Amino acid sequence: MEAVLIDPARTGADKFYVGTVPTPRPRAGEVLVEVRAVALSAWEKGFAQDDDPRSLARRTRRRAVNLGLEFSGVVRSDGRRFTRGRRVMGGTHLTKDEKALAQYVTVREDYLAELPDTLGFPDAAVLPSGAQTALTAFDKAPAPTDVLITGASGGVGVYAVQLAAARGATVTALGGHDAGPA
């Protein structure tokens, strides 16, 4: 299968290339997903900004596909919860799994959610990590009446604002833009 790979010996955008790796095979509790969309996040930004060959070699040595934590796609193998043809969104384990910037990814079924018919693949790919993090925080906290959300323009903050408002809280949101080095 084709995947976006990293050549640690190169720098800048030239370190990324489309290469061929074996199609993964699901283990117990996993399904094979044909990837339709991948969200790029701070995880991928870290690889893009890292031009140190030794650092990149260390970060990429354990797996072939290192990019793509969040994705959406179509299940291509039967599992316990998801069967062939189901539209799903999900994420890979941060440190253990091959990532999803490839034609296929194997993923634990408990890392997946069914994709509603009203949601397209690109929109669904951005939901798993940020939305789940915000939802988990609100589920663990007592119901707030007033909420201050710092980082409201970030990957978790945009969902935290919406969840707080949906739960009836008065929301104060702070966000910004990191323009990088001057």
Side-chain angles (χ1 to χ4, degrees):
M1 75 169 178
E2 288 186 332
V4 176
L5 306 175
I6 301 171
D7 181 349
R10 304 190 106 174
T11 61
D14 291 338
K15 70 179 148 229
F16 302 107
Y17 68 98
V18 176
T20 303
V21 296
T23 300
R25 296 181 186 269
R27 296 179 301 233
E30 295 180 335
V31 291
L32 180 68
V33 177
E34 179 182 352
V35 177
R36 296 289 179 88
V38 174
L40 300 180
S41 66
W43 176 263
E44 288 78 21
K45 182 180 178 183
F47 283 95
Q49 292 176 333
D50 189 350
D51 279 338
D52 176 13
R54 289 191 352 222
S55 171
L56 277 172
R58 181 177 34 78
R59 293 174 71 186
T60 61
R61 75 176 184 266
R62 287 198 192 123
R63 59 192 62 81
V65 182
N66 289 280
L67 304 170
L69 293 174
E70 302 171 285
F71 64 92
S72 61
V74 179
V75 175
R76 294 297 179 209
S77 67
D78 288 330
R80 285 188 339 230
R81 290 181 51 214
F82 297 98
T83 56
R84 285 185 184 127
R86 302 306 296 220
R87 293 167 17 101
V88 294
M89 59 184 164
T92 64
H93 189 281
L94 181 63
T95 60
K96 296 179 183 177
D97 298 336
E98 293 283 330
K99 304 302 178 253
L101 200 51
Q103 287 178 289
Y104 298 94
V105 65
T106 54
V107 65
R108 288 178 40 177
E109 288 187 271
D110 55 349
Y111 288 8
L112 295 173
E114 188 165 348
L115 186 64
D117 291 336
T118 57
L119 194 58
F121 290 111
D123 292 332
V126 301
L127 289 174
S129 294
Q132 183 63 47
T133 301
L135 183 61
T136 299
F138 278 103
D139 285 347
K140 292 186 182 284
T145 56
D146 296 299
V147 177
L148 169 64
I149 298 174
T150 59
S153 60
V156 176
V158 296
Y159 299 110
V161 168
Q162 296 174 63
L163 288 168
R167 292 174 181 214
T170 300
V171 179
T172 302
L174 302 174
H177 181 289
D178 179 5

